[in-house]
Amino acid sequence: MKRQTIHATKKNLDAWYGAFSASQAEIDDFIAKDPVQFPLRYKKRADVEIAAFIAATIAWGRRDIIIRSAQRIFALMQDGPSAYVMAGDYRALSDKGAAGDKSLHRTFFESDLKYFCKGFKACYEKYGSLEKLFARACSDGDIWQGISLFRAEMATGNDGACSRHIANPEAGSACKRINLALRWLARPGPVDLGLWKKMPLSALHIPLDVHVARNARALGLLERKSNDKKAVIELTEKLRIFCPEDPVKYDFALFYNASSMQELE
């Protein structure tokens, strides 16, 4: 694909996002095939927050498999994720290395879900909500500080142990799945929930998966070859030129094949 001018790229991205936002059929189809459907099922703030982070954490691989895995996980939390966490019902899950430690989604096991539940419980007991945790660390708009604090607090709730399923921005990780959960929770619709009001949309960063990165490079929006933290910052900064107040809205356009955007010119 030939690279476009910045003006043409912005025009195409805005046109696709506008068309998507205006089509309820497109929105419904997207949600039905995406793990965002799970936090959308809940009304209670804590249920939505926990569901968002769990669903985003297992969001790698084929989306139909992700959804089946998420259905199994949330079926365990019959009375709601927050009640399951705060009542300590997760204690019945297997421990790491135990014979009954079964896979819930690829390399995400029962012991991993137990880790997350223990961490969530500690976070809610200390902060009252995950939004307050991130707001404390992100007062200057640096989302990476919030991610680092979240990782640290989850470890504190697990006797200092870190999880391979919670990315470390200090090690240069793109933190794709955490950024996805933050997009869901902070952005207003039509797909995202708009639950968090203390997180400025301008502070969000693109959830960089392989598909988005490939399309961004094809459009000349990303030069860096590695899909790491530096690439996330580079791409997000480019998107801020188009929309300083809400750069991550373009995630919806970049998620789809870049060739489709040529048709919008």
Side-chain angles (χ1 to χ4, degrees):
M1 172 182 175
K2 293 182 179 179
R3 292 190 174 187
Q4 306 166 337
T5 65
I6 289 294
H7 175 76
T9 300
K10 181 183 187 308
K11 180 182 176 182
N12 285 346
L13 293 177
D14 282 336
W16 193 94
Y17 180 75
F20 173 78
S21 300
S23 172
Q24 192 60 50
E26 291 267 15
I27 293 166
D28 292 343
D29 182 67
F30 184 97
I31 291 172
K33 297 175 182 177
D34 194 85
V36 72
Q37 65 183 267
F38 294 96
L40 282 169
R41 293 178 181 182
Y42 298 100
K43 300 298 183 184
K44 186 177 177 181
R45 171 178 290 269
D47 285 341
V48 176
E49 289 183 336
I50 292 171
F53 275 92
I54 290 176
T57 294
I58 65 167
W60 84 95
R62 281 171 41 188
R63 287 202 293 168
D64 59 330
I65 295 175
I66 294 168
I67 289 170
R68 286 202 298 270
S69 297
Q71 287 170 338
R72 288 196 296 270
I73 291 172
F74 291 109
L76 294 171
M77 304 175 171
Q78 294 181 5
D79 295 325
S82 63
Y84 182 84
V85 166
M86 301 312 292
D89 293 343
Y90 59 81
R91 295 188 184 97
L93 297 172
S94 296
D95 291 314
K96 185 175 179 63
D101 191 11
K102 62 182 179 181
S103 171
L104 296 175
H105 178 70
R106 302 179 72 173
T107 61
F108 189 87
F109 287 79
E110 273 199 6
S111 57
D112 295 308
L113 179 59
K114 190 172 189 177
Y115 177 99
F116 270 74
C117 290
K118 289 173 67 177
F120 287 141
K121 190 172 191 296
C123 290
Y124 278 94
E125 289 174 346
K126 182 173 181 178
Y127 295 94
S129 75
L130 296 182
E131 181 182 18
K132 290 179 180 177
L133 183 160
F134 275 87
R136 175 175 294 188
C138 300
S139 58
D140 63 351
D142 186 352
I143 199 71
W144 303 102
Q145 291 184 29
I147 295 174
S148 291
L149 179 60
F150 172 68
R151 186 171 187 269
E153 294 291 9
M154 292 291 279
T156 297
N158 284 274
D159 303 316
C162 292
S163 169
R164 61 182 171 173
H165 292 291
I166 301 180
N168 183 7
E170 295 176 13
S173 171
C175 299
K176 176 252 179 179
R177 287 172 279 173
I178 297 178
N179 280 318
L180 178 61
L182 296 176
R183 195 206 82 196
W184 287 347
L185 290 165
R187 284 199 74 257
V191 170
D192 300 321
L193 292 91
L195 178 68
W196 286 4
K197 306 304 181 185
K198 298 178 181 179
M199 177 75 69
L201 302 186
S202 58
L204 296 175
H205 281 68
I206 201 82
L208 188 68
D209 64 14
V210 173
H211 194 67
V212 167
R214 181 172 61 246
N215 290 345
R217 291 187 182 101
L219 290 168
L221 294 172
L222 180 60
E223 297 293 336
R224 187 169 176 80
K225 303 303 181 185
S226 300
N227 293 340
D228 55 8
K229 179 181 175 181
K230 289 182 179 180
V232 172
I233 294 172
E234 178 189 339
L235 176 54
T236 304
E237 289 300 321
K238 291 280 183 62
L239 298 175
R240 283 198 180 107
I241 296 172
F242 300 158
C243 186
E245 68 277 10
D246 186 16
V248 176
K249 74 178 186 181
Y250 295 114
D251 186 34
F252 294 99
L254 290 171
F255 182 80
Y256 287 87
N257 195 297
S259 63
S260 67
M261 301 188 201
Q262 289 181 304
E263 299 171 2
L264 296 172
E265 290 187 304

